[in-house]
Amino acid sequence: MADLTTLTAPEARRLLVRREISARELTRAVLDRLQAVEPDVRAFITLTADEALQQAGGADAALGTPGGDPQGTPLLTGIPVALKDLFCTRGVQTTSGSRILEGFVPPFDATVVARLRAAGAVFVGKTNMDEFAMGSSTESSGFGKTRNPWDLQRVPGGSSGGSAAAVAAGECLLALGTDTGGSIRQPASLCGIVGLKPTYGRVSRYGMIAFASSLDQAGPFSVGVEGSAMVLQAVAGLDPLDATSAPQAVPDYLAGLPGGIKGLRIGVPKEYFVPGTEPDVERLVRAAIAQLAALGAEVGEVSLPYTDYGLATYYIIAPAEVSSNLARYNGTKYGLAALDEPEMVRAMELTRQRGFGDETKRRIMLGTYALSSGYYDAYYLKAQKVRTLIKGDFDRAFERFDVLATPTSPTTAFRLGEKTQDPLAMYLSDVCTLPVNMAGLPGINVPCGFDGGGLPVGLQLIGRPFDEATLLRVAYTYEQSTDHHRRRPGREVMSQGPGVDGGVVPAGGAQETRR
Ligand code: GLN
């Protein structure tokens, strides 16, 4: 049997349903692969191998029930999936990448986790991420740094870098991440895979550790577009436990994939080829757009004049929400507590001082400042008004176009440490993705080639609210006309032995937990 870890999720589904492979075989292959490459890639904070094998056993039972109907089993039955470590998982540590939550074991599943469970998914573990999802490189994690499987000296992007790297490296077939300003699309781009950020409200946020509640949205990573459609199918839809989840009906995303893009109007926002965009990125994204035209789309230029204000606006609104959302971590409810300090207020201060990393502290300070009396109107209120203008840009563009096409990230994967001392340079990684969150729109990354150094480049497609189906169809049509998704990072890259920092396994890094 060929290497099962190179299967895409729909390929695995077909083999599982035909009983040509078992869920246990598939899960074992993925766990073996994980063990072999994890010392180099370090995509996981917590592994759940035992639970995965048990779930795989259950999947085999469901698929093989005598007289049963394997076709009728839920879509993800027996498929190994990784979860970003900010989705609450019943009985399994959930840290949000922060030492302040080390040891926190939720008593319940996030809605998306419950839905994936119901769809038959096999959970292999919880993936590394920037602390509380703030970052673009996964370097702000309290649990060590994840490396890009295409080049171990480089970052996988972030904040869902662990999920993206795990999928790219074959340590799972699918993964779930979150995207507040780009954290699914940007790491997908840097790791050469598909990543979809759904419309705000399309997917429940219940049980997802909050970063910026008006922007956060969960979504899938996969090799190939079809896998992301499978995950979205399983997790999308109204949830009574999340008042911001939307009642819109969930279409059949898989059925909608074929059908082509003839006559579809694709707009190219001219402001998105920002200064600092690498020449290879611009060249490959423009070539992908030309390919969409060759496939029958009508392509035209469009202007989104408020794009320039996106970054500044995001860095008021998101930190403001952080300063409020992160107030709850004070040692009295979950995780770390400075028990050595008897005085209550001092103990809370110490807990936060010890538990939060630098970037988290920076955001809390930025946000608290922007919300403080006298500054609220000048910063926060003003930012909310500009947010409306940014949304207006998109509304106007969608009167003329069905989909917008841009680079996902202005650069390919950068070197570990390259931007950690310069927060603004790091923030600029998301300049093409942040406005999409502020307008609440869906966006997808689809690989569109490799730069001169062999690093993946991604095309971002942006859609109308709740029109993930069109995004998936455009991405699928494009993908089927290229070979990029067939290229995977070589095993040889991940067996070079000790990586950049001497192969020291991060303290608290991937541990087996079963509780
Ligand atoms: N990099 C952006 C930030 O740090 C976006 C992160 C995200 O989408 N979670 O805020």
Side-chain angles (χ1 to χ4, degrees):
M1 177 61 74
D3 181 356
L4 299 184
T5 67
T6 63
L7 292 173
T8 64
E11 285 165 356
R13 168 73 179 164
R14 286 187 273 279
L15 293 173
L16 285 164
V17 162
R18 286 198 233 118
R19 308 300 294 139
E20 286 174 32
I21 59 170
S22 71
R24 253 170 305 206
E25 270 174 273
L26 177 60
T27 300
R28 279 220 179 83
V30 163
L31 293 173
D32 286 349
R33 168 80 171 165
L34 197 151
Q35 206 156 38
V37 303
E38 191 55 12
D40 283 340
V41 179
R42 304 179 193 177
F44 288 84
I45 293 176
T46 301
L47 298 176
T48 53
D50 294 345
E51 183 182 357
L53 287 166
Q54 264 175 29
Q55 289 174 317
D60 281 328
L63 288 158
T65 309
D69 167 24
Q71 289 282 4
T73 53
L75 208 51
L76 300 177
T77 302
I79 303 210
V81 177
L83 301 167
K84 186 176 185 178
D85 204 22
L86 53 51
F87 295 107
C88 285
T89 39
R90 190 192 169 110
V92 176
Q93 173 180 261
T94 301
T95 67
S96 206
S98 182
R99 289 284 174 186
I100 211 162
L101 276 175
E102 192 169 12
F104 167 55
V105 179
F108 68 104
D109 278 337
T111 294
V112 286
V113 174
R115 288 187 181 179
L116 288 176
R117 223 186 262 290
V122 166
F123 296 132
V124 294
K126 307 291 296 289
T127 57
N128 198 17
M129 54 182 284
D130 281 299
E131 186 174 19
F132 288 105
M134 294 183 263
S136 308
S137 68
T138 313
E139 291 166 294
S140 79
S141 169
F143 299 87
K145 300 182 197 338
T146 297
R147 283 83 159 283
N148 192 311
W150 293 92
D151 178 346
L152 296 173
Q153 315 297 319
R154 292 177 189 269
V155 303
S159 65
S160 315
S163 286
V167 169
E171 298 178 272
C172 55
L173 268 52
L174 298 168
L176 211 56
T178 58
D179 190 314
T180 304
S183 282
I184 292 175
R185 291 157 290 159
Q186 184 259 16
S189 177
L190 271 47
C191 288
I193 58 173
V194 173
L196 170 70
K197 173 230 171 292
T199 312
Y200 185 80
R202 177 76 297 183
V203 176
S204 168
R205 293 183 299 111
Y206 177 77
M208 202 171 106
I209 294 177
F211 160 11
S213 307
S214 77
L215 301 160
D216 297 343
Q217 190 61 195
F221 289 98
S222 57
V223 171
V225 175
E226 215 178 330
S228 282
M230 289 165 76
V231 174
L232 186 63
Q233 200 75 56
V235 300
L238 182 69
D239 175 13
L241 297 173
D242 173 8
T244 65
S245 74
Q248 269 84 346
V250 178
D252 187 337
Y253 294 114
L254 286 167
L257 290 179
I261 57 169
K262 281 220 165 45
L264 195 93
R265 296 163 306 166
I266 298 182
V268 183
K270 60 176 186 205
E271 292 84 358
Y272 277 64
F273 294 90
V274 295
T277 303
E278 290 175 353
D280 278 352
V281 170
E282 171 149 6
R283 180 176 58 78
L284 290 166
V285 168
R286 291 211 187 269
I289 293 168
Q291 175 78 357
L292 292 170
L295 291 163
E298 290 167 23
V299 175
E301 196 183 75
V302 63
S303 173
L304 304 176
Y306 285 102
T307 302
D308 245 11
Y309 301 98
L311 196 81
T313 311
Y314 174 89
Y315 277 97
I316 299 289
I317 294 174
E321 295 186 26
V322 164
S323 88
S324 162
N325 272 331
L326 270 53
R328 72 189 74 171
Y329 305 107
N330 59 17
T332 60
K333 291 192 182 122
Y334 348 72
L336 191 77
L339 297 173
D340 51 322
E341 169 57 54
E343 200 279 310
M344 188 180 74
V345 172
R346 185 73 198 125
M348 289 179 177
E349 285 170 0
L350 265 182
T351 299
R352 290 167 71 81
Q353 221 170 71
R354 291 174 185 165
F356 288 142
D358 290 348
E359 183 60 24
T360 299
K361 288 175 181 161
R362 181 179 297 124
R363 303 276 182 119
I364 292 172
M365 286 191 280
L366 282 171
T368 307
Y369 183 81
L371 288 176
S372 55
S373 143
Y375 297 105
Y376 179 96
D377 287 0
Y379 295 108
Y380 184 72
L381 194 65
K382 181 86 155 276
Q384 291 292 16
K385 290 178 180 166
V386 180
R387 181 176 185 174
T388 304
L389 295 173
I390 291 172
K391 180 164 183 307
D393 271 357
F394 283 108
D395 290 345
R396 273 185 300 281
F398 284 120
E399 285 168 11
R400 284 174 52 211
F401 295 102
D402 303 303
V403 166
L404 304 177
T406 78
T408 302
S409 159
T411 72
T412 53
F414 43 94
R415 290 185 179 279
L416 283 151
E418 193 177 316
K419 301 191 180 181
T420 41
Q421 299 312 313
D422 184 352
L424 197 58
M426 189 71 88
Y427 297 173
L428 278 165
S429 295
D430 299 290
V431 66
C432 299
T433 47
L434 311 161
V436 180
N437 299 69
M438 288 203 285
L441 302 171
I444 193 169
N445 175 73
V446 57
C448 68
F450 296 83
D451 74 0
L455 295 169
V457 173
L459 169 74
Q460 171 174 240
L461 301 166
I462 305 165
R464 292 198 180 94
F466 299 99
D467 197 11
E468 287 81 5
T470 300
L471 283 191
L472 288 163
R473 179 160 53 87
V474 179
Y476 180 78
T477 307
Y478 171 74
E479 172 186 277
Q480 295 304 303
S481 76
T482 74
D483 267 341
H484 311 311
H485 60 295
R486 287 186 222 291
R487 213 158 123 191
R488 308 287 290 270
R491 264 160 198 279
E492 60 289 353
V493 178
M494 283 169 284
S495 51
Q496 289 167 345
V500 279
D501 48 358
V504 182
V505 175
Q511 289 162 355
E512 189 70 30
T513 61
R514 282 283 310 156
R515 287 169 219 250

